Amino acid sequence: MWWGGRGQSFNIAPQKEEPEMGHSGPKFVQRTGMLEPRSRQLDGHVASGCLPGEQILAWAPGVRKGLEPELPGTLICTNLRVTFQPCGWQRSQETPLSSEYDFALVNIGRLEAVSGLSRVQLLRPGSPLKFIPEEILIHGRDFRLLRVAFEAGGLEPQAFQVTMAIVQARAQNSQVQQYAGIPLSKAGQSSGSRKPPVPLLETSEDWEAERKKQGARGWRVSTVNERFDIATSLPRYFWVPKRTLDSEVRRAFGHFHQGRGPRLSWHHPGGSDLLRCGGFYTASDPNKEDIRAVESMLQAGHSDVVLVDTVDELPSLADVQLAHLRLRALCLPDSSAAEEKWLSALEGTRWLDYVRSCLRKASDISVLVTSRVRSVVLQERGDRDFNGLLSSLVQLLSVPEARTLLGFQSLVQREWVAAGHPFLTRLGVTGASEEAPVFLLFLDCVWQLLQQFPAEFEFSEFFLLALHDSARVPDTLTFLRDTPWERGKQGGQFNSYTQIYNPGYCQPPAGNSVNSQLSVWDWDLRYNSEQILQFHNPGYDPEHCPDSWLPRQQPSFMVPGPPSAVWLFSRGALTPLNQLCPWRDNPSLLAVSSRWLPRAAISSESLADQEWGLPSHWGACPLPPGLLLPGYLGPQIRLWRRCYLRGRPEVQKGLSAPTISGLQDELSHLQELLRKWTPRISPEDHSKKRDPNTILSQSR
């Protein structure tokens, strides 16, 4: 997924090198030779065949192994990436940013040099190479594996040089600053004429259009953070109750952690509202007006309010990072885990346990949102990690519209990108200690839903893989910045941070400013037509209209909540609260009567029974159409093999089940998927040629 020019490829000029021996191993002095594009010599700097700011450091001929057939070509190292170019291969003119042979330096999780049958050296950033390698193994953080065997016959110096170049390039500390994204003009596109495939929510018009689409009539678009003077991690625009003034929003947000106060995340078609916010800043001393503003924003016009302790029963960020590291180590081709103990080792990583916990909590919250008309508030101290994960999963479980290709992309853009999830830090690009792949955990949860409800999703596993692998590519800024302010500044939406905060600068940033950078949703510039066709789930019903399943604001669908009820949802149970805010010492007028006190729920199913069955005068309420309640017990949660085991080619070829019992398990799994796929599509529909542009532009 790299800029390679339209139809350009690299020509390799011959190198001549002479060996010198040193105390730490062989040394080579390059006499001549240069890596250059066909059009002109690079002279060690960037040409039109490279990313802006990219420099080619070294190259060596070799053969890519581990696949059939083996591919002869050239291994190239630059200051941004490592790429393998097969002989005679050129980057497609249709997809100038696409290549399956590229590894960003920040995506390299482990680098090994091999000589002979037993000599293996693990190369850490800055470590010296002790021998001339015969092979090099590059393990990606995305579980991909690049294995290249170098050619002999006088080319050993080049193998040594390219290996050391990779080691030294990884050791550089300025990698993040070099990833500036790709302007649309560099990809042969005009930023003025090209409409983003997915609304990027960078203008007030985008937010207003999305508000109308959701039917949130009680909400409005606030511009109070237009200059990022409340919080740089928040978007410039967000939704607040219509009757709340911007002056009240400004004061109320100051009493929440990092200035991330309550705002609408999603409006349910039945009338409920899902909000998200940071933790209360208990050290503040709000006056009565501020407390009244905070309570009004949390209630959002509802008499029934549920505060959800987001991190309760979920792993910590450190737990997620440790589980992901253990999972990656287990899935390496040379994992030390014995085959008969591999499943036990997988359980020991706890990754699947954390997937299970996220799905269970999201199922509980979806029941709370859909069962009664109420305000459900997701509260996390930082409001930038698990709030986004749970809000996204709740929407996927609750409405079919979020399960379409366009709807899911819009969901990720709104709840993760625009909401300020720190992708750069969590994905380990900065090398900070706060690394934790929460977004990848979310994608695994979505994959689990695809397995359990294969006919309910328009997108396929291949789309999730493409999104998973796009997390660490430097051609877009979507996942390579921590805040909307950083992303907008790099994309040229406004001039500088100083101007935004300068009191004398009275002209606000243009509301219709256009980000000239590529986004991750520009799939047609990074994937070809055949790959885009694979993004579509063949078992999805194309006649399913997402907006027809439930009329907006249908009064008979949801039952009203108890009068002036305030609840805390924690550990699967609703507990009554005397007050919404922690700053009041006296009981609030929002106290809950004991007759509303429910029993503790042990599962989403029991919570659903409790929510729809009590009290008796509400009457029985059937499970809403379109609501999915996934299973999360035992074997219902599976390993995402196509993602995590792709470093093992024999697994992808179907050789992981050589026994009769293993083949029977595979067959049973396939038969189960076929049973879940309802035959809604006729054979004639399957035979029709689908236009990939139509797939990406549906409902646009």
Side-chain angles (χ1 to χ4, degrees):
M1 302 158 189
W2 304 88
W3 173 248
R6 290 190 173 270
Q8 287 192 347
S9 61
F10 296 110
N11 274 349
I12 308 301
Q15 290 184 340
K16 297 180 180 179
E17 300 166 11
E18 299 176 2
E20 295 181 358
M21 295 305 296
H23 296 288
S24 61
K27 298 180 180 179
F28 296 92
V29 181
Q30 180 175 337
R31 302 304 184 189
T32 62
M34 193 67 61
L35 185 63
E36 58 184 16
R38 289 180 175 177
S39 57
R40 65 178 187 273
Q41 189 177 16
L42 275 176
D43 195 24
H45 294 84
V46 177
S48 60
C50 303
L51 285 165
E54 184 176 23
Q55 297 177 348
I56 296 174
L57 305 178
W59 59 269
V63 177
R64 181 172 183 178
K65 306 187 70 175
L67 301 175
E68 294 181 2
E70 296 180 347
L71 295 175
T74 303
L75 184 67
I76 304 169
C77 175
T78 76
N79 60 324
L80 298 180
R81 57 170 170 146
V82 176
T83 181
F84 181 81
Q85 178 181 304
C87 292
W89 176 83
Q90 294 185 358
R91 297 183 185 272
S92 171
Q93 296 183 9
E94 297 180 357
T95 56
L97 304 179
S98 176
S99 173
E100 60 179 301
Y101 307 108
D102 296 325
F103 278 68
L105 292 177
V106 295
N107 186 36
I108 298 177
R110 181 175 174 180
L111 181 65
E112 295 177 318
V114 180
S115 179
L117 298 177
S118 59
R119 197 172 187 184
V120 180
Q121 181 182 354
L122 178 63
L123 298 174
R124 295 181 173 86
S127 62
L129 181 58
K130 299 179 181 179
F131 52 83
I132 298 176
E134 297 179 4
E135 287 188 14
I136 185 173
L137 280 75
I138 301 175
H139 300 273
R141 293 172 180 262
D142 58 2
F143 294 86
R144 289 188 299 155
L145 171 65
L146 179 62
R147 178 185 175 191
V148 177
F150 297 111
E151 296 182 3
L155 296 176
E156 292 84 357
Q158 292 174 258
F160 186 89
Q161 282 189 338
V162 73
T163 304
M164 285 304 302
I166 298 173
V167 173
Q168 294 168 4
R170 292 182 66 203
Q172 298 299 319
N173 296 323
S174 59
Q175 295 172 358
V176 174
Q177 288 74 18
Q178 296 180 23
Y179 290 153
I182 303 297
L184 286 169
S185 58
K186 290 289 185 180
Q189 302 292 327
S190 171
S191 59
S193 61
R194 179 179 174 85
K195 181 181 179 181
V198 173
L200 301 181
L201 299 176
E202 294 171 343
T203 66
S204 58
E205 290 78 8
D206 286 347
W207 285 92
E208 179 63 17
E210 181 64 24
R211 184 194 67 82
K212 292 180 178 178
K213 183 179 180 181
Q214 293 189 15
R217 291 193 290 267
W219 298 81
R220 67 176 179 86
V221 178
S222 173
T223 60
V224 70
N225 196 46
E226 194 168 36
R227 300 191 185 194
F228 295 101
D229 52 352
I230 290 185
T232 57
S233 64
L234 284 175
R236 294 171 63 193
Y237 312 99
F238 44 78
W239 298 312
V240 297
K242 183 177 292 186
R243 295 184 179 180
T244 305
L245 302 176
D246 276 351
S247 58
E248 295 176 316
V249 174
R250 185 181 298 273
R251 293 198 308 269
F253 275 43
H255 301 295
F256 288 84
H257 185 67
Q258 295 183 357
R260 298 180 67 90
R263 60 208 184 278
L264 178 65
S265 178
W266 170 62
H267 176 76
H268 190 279
S272 287
D273 291 310
L274 181 65
L275 285 69
R276 58 185 292 180
C277 66
F280 293 116
Y281 184 46
T282 55
S284 64
D285 187 19
N287 55 36
K288 293 182 179 180
E289 289 74 15
D290 292 350
I291 293 178
R292 188 178 297 110
V294 170
E295 286 189 340
S296 176
M297 297 182 69
L298 291 173
Q299 286 182 267
H302 299 279
S303 61
D304 191 9
V305 184
V306 179
L307 290 179
V308 178
D309 185 359
T310 298
V311 297
D312 177 56
E313 296 184 294
L314 293 186
S316 66
L317 295 176
D319 292 336
V320 174
Q321 171 64 4
L322 181 59
H324 194 259
L325 290 176
R326 289 174 174 173
L327 178 66
R328 205 165 66 211
L330 180 65
C331 294
L332 290 174
D334 58 348
S335 173
S336 58
E339 183 176 354
E340 62 274 10
K341 297 182 179 180
W342 198 89
L343 292 178
S344 298
L346 174 62
E347 183 180 355
T349 66
R350 302 215 62 189
W351 179 260
L352 297 184
D353 288 336
Y354 298 154
V355 172
R356 183 177 293 108
S357 299
C358 292
L359 287 176
R360 172 176 177 171
K361 185 117 186 180
S363 299
D364 289 343
I365 298 172
S366 66
V367 170
L368 293 173
V369 171
T370 56
S371 60
R372 307 178 192 177
V373 179
R374 55 167 43 128
S375 171
V376 179
V377 185
L378 303 179
Q379 190 166 36
E380 179 189 20
R381 185 174 187 272
D383 182 36
R384 300 175 68 185
D385 293 295
F386 288 103
N387 267 5
L389 182 146
L390 291 177
S391 176
S392 301
L393 289 179
V394 168
Q395 295 176 57
L396 284 171
L397 293 174
S398 302
V399 289
E401 185 176 3
R403 302 168 207 151
T404 65
L405 192 56
L406 178 60
F408 181 74
Q409 293 176 97
S410 300
L411 175 68
V412 173
Q413 182 69 28
R414 184 177 69 252
E415 300 296 339
W416 293 87
V417 182
H421 176 68
F423 287 101
L424 204 64
T425 300
R426 294 293 182 258
L427 294 175
V429 180
T430 62
S433 58
E434 295 87 1
E435 179 179 356
V438 180
F439 181 66
L440 304 185
L441 178 64
F442 163 70
L443 294 182
D444 198 322
C445 293
V446 178
W447 180 83
Q448 303 290 339
L449 297 179
L450 280 176
Q451 304 310 299
Q452 296 191 29
F453 307 99
E456 300 292 335
F457 291 83
E458 184 184 22
F459 54 88
S460 68
E461 177 185 15
F462 296 101
F463 173 77
L464 289 180
L465 274 174
L467 191 56
H468 180 280
D469 295 347
S470 299
R472 296 186 179 92
V473 295
D475 49 28
T476 76
L477 296 179
T478 306
F479 300 141
L480 285 177
R481 291 296 181 269
D482 277 344
T483 66
W485 171 78
E486 294 176 358
R487 198 174 293 109
K489 181 182 178 182
Q490 185 69 51
Q493 288 180 270
F494 37 83
N495 294 329
S496 70
Y497 183 85
T498 304
Q499 287 181 333
I500 293 173
Y501 277 81
N502 188 353
Y505 183 70
C506 59
Q507 181 180 359
N512 293 322
S513 58
V514 177
N515 192 333
S516 61
Q517 301 287 320
L518 288 172
S519 75
V520 72
W521 316 119
D522 289 301
W523 299 113
D524 55 344
L525 295 177
R526 303 166 60 230
Y527 290 86
N528 59 39
S529 300
E530 294 182 359
Q531 292 170 322
I532 291 177
L533 283 173
Q534 291 184 332
F535 289 176
H536 189 269
N537 175 16
Y540 178 75
D541 181 7
E543 303 299 327
H544 189 156
C545 180
D547 293 326
S548 66
W549 73 281
L550 178 70
R552 298 288 183 184
Q553 306 292 344
Q554 181 178 353
S556 61
F557 166 59
M558 289 185 167
V559 291
S564 300
V566 182
W567 309 87
L568 172 66
F569 183 74
S570 178
R571 300 187 179 278
L574 288 168
T575 304
L577 293 177
N578 289 329
Q579 59 191 41
L580 266 175
C581 301
W583 305 291
R584 282 184 170 177
D585 296 329
N586 57 326
S588 171
L589 295 177
L590 299 176
V592 182
S593 172
S594 60
R595 67 190 181 95
W596 303 106
L597 183 63
R599 301 186 304 271
I602 59 175
S603 68
S604 294
E605 289 79 4
S606 60
L607 180 63
D609 293 339
Q610 170 183 298
E611 282 291 285
W612 277 294
L614 294 176
S616 59
H617 68 266
W618 283 349
C621 184
L623 196 67
L627 177 63
L628 307 178
L629 291 181
Y632 39 76
L633 301 177
Q636 292 176 306
I637 302 299
R638 298 187 175 99
L639 179 69
W640 190 0
R641 298 166 62 89
R642 195 181 295 274
C643 179
Y644 302 141
L645 297 181
R646 57 180 142 179
R648 299 184 172 190
E650 69 278 5
V651 174
Q652 301 296 353
K653 296 174 184 176
L655 302 181
S656 58
T659 63
I660 297 298
S661 60
L663 291 175
Q664 288 176 339
D665 292 340
E666 294 286 336
L667 180 60
S668 299
H669 176 56
L670 292 175
Q671 290 174 338
E672 180 183 354
L673 289 178
L674 289 175
R675 284 194 299 269
K676 292 178 179 178
W677 267 336
T678 56
R680 306 176 185 175
I681 306 176
S682 63
E684 292 78 9
D685 294 331
H686 281 298
S687 63
K688 294 179 181 178
K689 181 70 174 180
R690 294 183 60 88
D691 183 2
N693 296 323
T694 303
I695 293 176
L696 293 180
S697 61
Q698 285 179 348
S699 303
R700 189 178 298 178

